[in-house]
Amino acid sequence: MDDVDSAELVSRLVVVSSRLTRAFRRVIGNENSLATLRALAVVEQYQPVRVGHFAQGYLSSQPAATKLLARLEEAGLVLREASPTDGRASQFSLTDAGRRRLAENREIMTEQMRPYFESLSPEERLSVDHALGLVSAYLRDRHPVDISEEDTREDTSATGEATGGDSAGAEPEEGESTEVEPA
């Protein structure tokens, strides 16, 4: 079996991922709904999640993350609770309505993609499944956002400040809203 250049493989993965994201945007149709779904997926992945960790996963600043989580809470999609390890901090989890919203929209996206995957041979589906498993394992095991907040607080920079921080860099993508539709 021939090998594939890893840089080319990553490049193709980025292109396919971008195309899938755009396809899902077309299916969902509403940018506010897409922002909500992205946010709910991050909460689901890390729940219970504190604002700083959510900001890292959502790729936003802490102030933007705080506003978005407040809107999700107001819409009844997430629940805010005091952190058991730090009473001054809040942590967020999905509500039943948040889980339903995420599940419903994932089902819509699945139904849109299912015909293509049904047209693949069993061997091709197994290959895709294997590749997705490898990428998922990489993201779970090695992606820096997936490090717990306690781990990031222990890792200090030369200035003595925690590198986990409360700001994760990029604001929401240009044109992307952080508004939330009610459940």
Side-chain angles (χ1 to χ4, degrees):
M1 180 172 154
D2 293 337
D3 195 8
V4 177
D5 178 65
S6 59
E8 175 63 24
L9 191 59
V10 171
S11 177
R12 289 175 50 208
L13 180 61
V14 168
V15 168
V16 168
S17 174
S18 295
R19 287 179 181 166
L20 272 172
T21 299
R22 287 191 305 273
F24 291 147
R25 280 183 175 167
R26 284 189 297 275
V27 168
I28 297 302
N30 179 322
E31 200 64 37
N32 290 340
S33 291
L34 190 63
T36 299
L37 295 177
R38 277 186 56 216
L40 292 175
V42 172
V43 172
E44 176 189 53
Q45 182 177 0
Y46 302 114
Q47 67 184 331
V49 63
R50 290 173 57 172
V51 175
H53 200 193
F54 173 85
Q56 287 179 309
Y58 192 77
L59 300 177
S60 71
S61 66
Q62 183 172 353
T66 299
K67 289 177 187 175
L68 180 54
L69 287 166
R71 288 183 187 118
L72 292 170
E73 180 184 24
E74 187 176 303
L77 301 173
V78 299
L79 174 67
R80 177 193 311 249
E81 299 175 304
S83 170
T85 59
D86 181 356
R88 300 168 297 164
S90 295
Q91 61 186 29
F92 297 83
S93 299
L94 293 180
T95 62
D96 289 340
R99 279 189 287 283
R100 275 193 307 276
R101 168 77 70 87
L102 200 51
E104 289 165 1
N105 282 278
R106 284 178 173 163
E107 182 61 29
I108 291 168
M109 292 183 268
T110 299
E111 288 304 314
Q112 293 291 315
M113 296 298 293
R114 181 175 287 151
Y116 170 73
F117 286 93
E118 287 176 346
S119 71
L120 297 176
S121 71
E123 295 80 17
E124 290 168 329
R125 284 193 297 270
L126 284 171
S127 292
V128 171
D129 184 61
H130 180 72
L132 289 173
L134 292 172
V135 172
S136 181
Y138 169 79
L139 292 173
R140 181 187 60 244
D141 297 340
R142 298 186 186 104
H143 196 272
V145 173
D146 292 341
I147 297 172
S148 74
E149 288 186 14
E150 288 73 27
D151 293 341
T152 59
R153 272 192 234 106
E154 293 172 7
D155 182 18
T156 56
S157 65
T159 63
E161 296 179 5
T163 58
D166 290 311
S167 176
E171 294 293 329
E173 294 177 26
E174 186 175 323
E176 181 176 336
S177 171
T178 57
E179 295 297 312
V180 175
E181 293 181 344

